[in-house]
Amino acid sequence: DQQVKQNSPSLSVQEGRISILNCDYTNSMFDYFLWYKKYPAEGPTFLISISSIKDKNEDGRFTVFLNKSAKHLSLHIVPSQPGDSAVYFCAARPSNFGNEKLTFGTGTRLTIIP
Amino acid sequence: AAGVIQSPRHLIKEKRETATLKCYPIPRHDTVYWYQQGPGQDPQFLISFYEKMQSDKGSIPDRFSAQQFSDYHSELNMSSLELGDSALYFCASSVELGTSGLDTQYFGPGTRLTVL
């Protein structure tokens, strides 16, 4: 039972345009969400996070939007750059306690076309 | 900035052999997590430790065991290896900030285990 879903396994975007990666979750206990970027042969790199008390968090070119009623979040990257080509994982956890395990989505492979 | 260190980076073993994977968390991080990522799959949580005590357990086979030592490094011990154990094994570390209950997990580069 996949509690965190990334329905698009791949996405291609022209350089300079906006990349939008989507993530849906089913577990209503999740209220802290993170995006990780992963290059081949490397570990996931933390990008940005959001807790359920917010609906938007921005950090440079990266913005995460959370729609808690729809159990949906998205990562916007603008403008997209060739170095953004990677696999992006959405992850979720409850925030009631520290040290909680992450539940990952299946990932979206983003390719930025020069 | 210091990151999570994992060793070895690559490991090749035969079926029924044993393997030990090591993880050195970011300094002052008190929690270590182990995840397994099979080919084409998302990382799956195995086990975690907080202050040297097991804090949570996921889909970790009984053939695997782990511990966190006094210097906070952790080791994942895998015995009676099977072909299906071939995967990337990631370690992550975190420290809880304030009383929010929120902490970010930072991942190491992973150990690629191949069982022949």
Side-chain angles (χ1 to χ4, degrees), chain A residues 6 11 13-14 16-23 34-37 47-50 55-67 72-81 84 88-90 108 110 112:
Chain A
Q6 293 175 255
L11 176 68
V13 174
Q14 204 79 32
R17 300 289 190 115
I18 182 171
S19 296
I20 301 176
L21 296 96
N22 293 302
C23 178
L34 306 90
W35 283 95
Y36 287 86
K37 172 181 176 181
L47 277 177
I48 192 169
S49 62
I50 189 168
D55 55 17
K56 176 182 174 182
N57 189 25
E58 194 171 353
D59 183 3
R61 296 187 299 114
F62 302 93
T63 303
V64 55
F65 295 92
L66 175 63
N67 182 333
H72 176 84
L73 63 154
S74 61
L75 174 68
H76 293 211
I77 306 172
V78 56
S80 300
Q81 299 174 355
D84 296 330
Y88 288 78
F89 286 98
C90 169
T108 297
L110 175 65
I112 305 303

Side-chain angles (χ1 to χ4, degrees), chain B residues 9-114:
Chain B
R9 292 293 311 275
H10 303 272
L11 192 57
I12 299 175
K13 291 285 186 178
E14 302 263 336
K15 280 195 324 184
R16 291 181 289 278
E17 285 191 320
T18 61
T20 297
L21 279 56
K22 296 185 179 181
C23 170
Y24 298 85
I26 292 171
R28 290 180 292 283
H29 281 199
D30 52 17
T31 306
V32 167
Y33 310 78
W34 287 95
Y35 292 84
Q36 177 192 58
Q37 185 181 21
Q41 297 180 4
D42 52 299
Q44 295 287 323
F45 172 74
L46 291 177
I47 195 166
S48 62
F49 293 87
Y50 169 67
E51 285 291 345
K52 294 151 276 184
M53 300 284 288
Q54 182 180 308
S55 55
D56 198 2
K57 196 171 181 180
S59 51
I60 183 169
D62 292 340
R63 300 176 289 108
F64 294 6
S65 65
Q67 57 182 323
Q68 187 179 30
F69 294 85
S70 58
D71 63 351
Y72 293 98
H73 94 273
S74 178
E75 295 183 4
L76 177 65
N77 298 294
M78 311 159 73
S79 62
S80 303
L81 287 168
E82 301 174 357
L83 296 178
D85 296 329
S86 294
L88 269 170
Y89 290 83
F90 290 110
C91 172
S93 74
S94 71
V95 61
E96 185 175 338
L97 299 175
T99 57
S100 67
L102 301 179
D103 59 305
T104 297
Q105 294 180 27
Y106 295 91
F107 283 77
T111 294
R112 180 173 292 282
L113 173 66
T114 303

